[in-house]
Amino acid sequence: MKKYQLMAPGPTPVPSQVLLAMAQPMIHHRTPEYQALFTEVRAGLKALVQTAQDVIPLACSGTGAMEAAVVNTLSAGETVAVVNAGKFGERWMEIAKTYGMNIVELRAPFGDTVPAARLAETLRTRSEITAVLAQHSESSTGVLHDVRGYAEATRGTGAILIVDAVSSLGIANLEMDTWGVDAVVAGSQKGLMLPPGLAFCALSQKAWARVATSRLPKYYFNLTEEQTWLVKNEPRYTPPVSIVVGLREALRMLQAEGLANVFKRHDRLARATRAGVEALGLQLFPRATPTPALTAVTSPRGIDSEKIVAAYAQAHNITIAGGQGEMKGKLFRLGHMGYAAEFDVIIALSALEQVLADLGVPVDFGASMRAAQKIFAEKA
Amino acid sequence: MKKYQLMAPGPTPVPSQVLLAMAQPMIHHRTPEYQALFTEVRAGLKALVQTAQDVIPLACSGTGAMEAAVVNTLSAGETVAVVNAGKFGERWMEIAKTYGMNIVELRAPFGDTVPAARLAETLRTRSEITAVLAQHSESSTGVLHDVRGYAEATRGTGAILIVDAVSSLGIANLEMDTWGVDAVVAGSQKGLMLPPGLAFCALSQKAWARVATSRLPKYYFNLTEEQTWLVKNEPRYTPPVSIVVGLREALRMLQAEGLANVFKRHDRLARATRAGVEALGLQLFPRATPTPALTAVTSPRGIDSEKIVAAYAQAHNITIAGGQGEMKGKLFRLGHMGYAAEFDVIIALSALEQVLADLGVPVDFGASMRAAQKIFAEKA
């Protein structure tokens, strides 16, 4: 028997108590029961996004919510700056292009970041920029971008800052209101420990002011209409009821742990994973601040990283992820977000040692786990 | 104890075996396990939609799939005919308007239908019409529109027929290929007995030819991109994995029953419900062919139908639905689609007798159930 382990950078494991809550009989979305549920999850989402604004749930994947943020706040012909340093940065590029925007690309090599100073300089010289599109955690490269710095750079300009927090919400600290982020986009299947199928979008006052002037057509993703229903504590369309039921359980778990502790846990898991990987002589893929959501590792010289992914699956029944797009074959990614704890890291590293040895890489067995244990032994 | 009964026209009850399948540990969507799952559900969906075309799953509600069908096959400035005889007909109007189409409205009073001959005449005189948008089952009024006739009227013209089958797929016979329907849109939470959050869109060759010339911007709902991934047997974006897992179970249940039997069952449930309601002296809301998905009943004179809905909930723990929009207060709707069987109808009617009596309506107790029993006693 090999116990199945889901250690990809999303979807992430769903706790049994959440799965079982979702397995309760279906309820209707226009009932007092749903209203009570909706009241609770709306409050929980605000706390999680650290905002006084409503967090609008949308029945779609994270990409749908990215599109919603763009088509509601912008218009064709506007100029947007895109922080592009990975596959999800490219997605912002594609969305902006699809909707007829002029793009100022702030590109960094995959594995690197765009410093806030560079964005600030761009905004100073290109006053026509009306929005900045960025990831918080770029899960294709394992890099955490400096969203706090981007918010500082954007504040006081005419531009709004739209942040894809799909793989950072409930994982890395993101203070929407305090930092001054204008749109936060997230999904259910990462830090929220839920199945995919529910996404979120929260807008600042500055962003809502832009909504009023946006001329792009939208129907399903019309956030103004969504908000009209939300203030009545009702969903606009039939919501993914079972995921919303699961969301209540997941939010309760996060609240019980405390948001600061949730972030600390992810930081510990990430540091332990990185220490373990490096103890085996492997190189981390990021050359900038790594995300606490996952660890991207450069494949050892001469080894296609897809072989590592396959060995994890075939020999150990563990799903990890390889590289996407041009990074395919060059890196592998270990997720440690959401319903993830210390011994999951130990398992991932234990399997890594076996996988590398099987692929002919000399391995000092136990070295990665020893390094991780030292991190876990740190107090407070 | 009052056992909870979900008898609204969607979401509908989810069978326990489906709920428990969905409660299995989360799997990743880029694995051999998911590929095997996807292969099976893709084949099952084709059989259900009665088409040789791929049925594209989308992570959204039915409304999202309605929008997808429009924005992929049409362009701003085109003229579309909309069969508008209920709230979901109005939704087609809104979507077409949002995307800049000229609308030829084929309106019928709520509860009525638009005969195919009227559509044929319109298409003859208005050759600029490039698409016909219609519901199959208009769940706001309980009417089944003549989609087969609409397809005949559309065939040989330059127009495509786009059908919202959200509350008819797996409920009423809809032969996409044989009849010549060009786009079928459906959702997970009606005949498919699943939680909401997954929708479907299938396009005919004629519709795909239109996709190539459509100039409306789309990203999340880009069906060309979806199809590119589908032929590789992979989802384009992170799919609502748990609902897809449930879909496999639901499709197996429908296959085991046999599609013809599924339609017969719904027809029996609908006829029994109508007979029961009429046996109590109530009037059916539809003046045209009623849908087998639900029964819309005109509220007895002097009684706000919201009171009937509330009494079902409060006295009997049963969720039914009232009227939507301008029909609010005037009708109530009993769902009998998806995971619904004979004794569910008996329960709904039993409760109805009690509810009416409590509201002061003279009731011949047992009369509605006697009428239903006679339908159920019919052979073959």
Side-chain angles (χ1 to χ4, degrees), chain A residues 4 6 8 10-14 19-20 22-29 31 59-61 63-64 67 91 94-95 98-99 189 194-197 217-221 237-243 319, chain B residues 4 6 8 10-14 19-20 22-29 31 59-61 63-64 67 91 94-95 98-99 189 194-197 217-221 237-243 319:
Chain A
Y4 179 67
L6 178 53
T12 59
V14 180
L19 289 169
L20 292 176
M22 292 177 55
Q24 291 174 101
M26 181 59 43
I27 62 167
H28 196 268
H29 56 290
T31 55
C60 59
S61 79
T63 302
E67 174 166 332
R91 190 160 294 175
E94 290 170 6
I95 292 173
T98 298
Y99 288 99
Q189 78 281 12
L194 292 166
K218 53 255 171 186
Y219 188 81
Y220 186 69
F221 289 129
Y237 297 129
T238 312
V241 175
S242 55
I243 304 180
T319 301
Chain B
Y4 179 67
L6 177 53
T12 59
V14 180
L19 289 170
L20 292 176
M22 292 177 54
Q24 292 174 100
M26 181 59 43
I27 62 168
H28 196 268
H29 56 290
T31 55
C60 59
S61 79
T63 302
E67 173 166 332
R91 191 160 293 175
E94 291 170 5
I95 293 173
T98 297
Y99 288 99
Q189 78 281 12
L194 293 166
K218 53 254 172 187
Y219 188 81
Y220 185 69
F221 289 130
Y237 297 129
T238 312
V241 175
S242 55
I243 304 180
T319 301

Side-chain angles (χ1 to χ4, degrees), chain A residues 194-318:
Chain A
L194 292 166
L198 185 65
F200 309 97
C201 185
L203 300 183
S204 71
Q205 292 291 354
K206 188 177 175 185
W208 276 114
R210 303 292 303 276
V211 170
T213 62
S214 163
R215 292 181 312 273
L216 284 168
K218 53 255 171 186
Y219 188 81
Y220 186 69
F221 289 129
N222 188 318
L223 296 179
T224 307
E225 289 292 327
E226 289 286 337
Q227 183 66 16
T228 305
W229 284 88
L230 203 66
V231 296
K232 295 185 287 187
N233 200 36
E234 277 200 60
R236 179 179 170 215
Y237 297 129
T238 312
V241 175
S242 55
I243 304 180
V244 179
V245 169
L247 175 58
R248 172 167 54 188
E249 297 305 313
L251 287 170
R252 285 177 181 174
M253 289 174 69
L254 293 173
Q255 282 155 9
E257 186 174 3
L259 203 48
N261 291 327
V262 169
F263 298 146
K264 261 189 221 162
R265 169 168 54 87
H266 282 94
D267 176 64
R268 278 162 68 86
L269 300 181
R271 285 191 293 120
T273 305
R274 294 195 296 267
V277 163
E278 290 188 308
L280 295 174
L282 300 184
Q283 284 206 316
L284 301 174
F285 187 76
R287 278 150 292 158
T289 307
T291 173
L294 63 118
T295 297
V297 185
T298 303
S299 206
R301 190 179 300 269
I303 296 182
D304 184 324
S305 67
E306 291 298 304
K307 283 193 181 161
I308 294 173
V309 175
Y312 260 100
Q314 286 153 21
H316 303 287
N317 206 17
I318 297 177

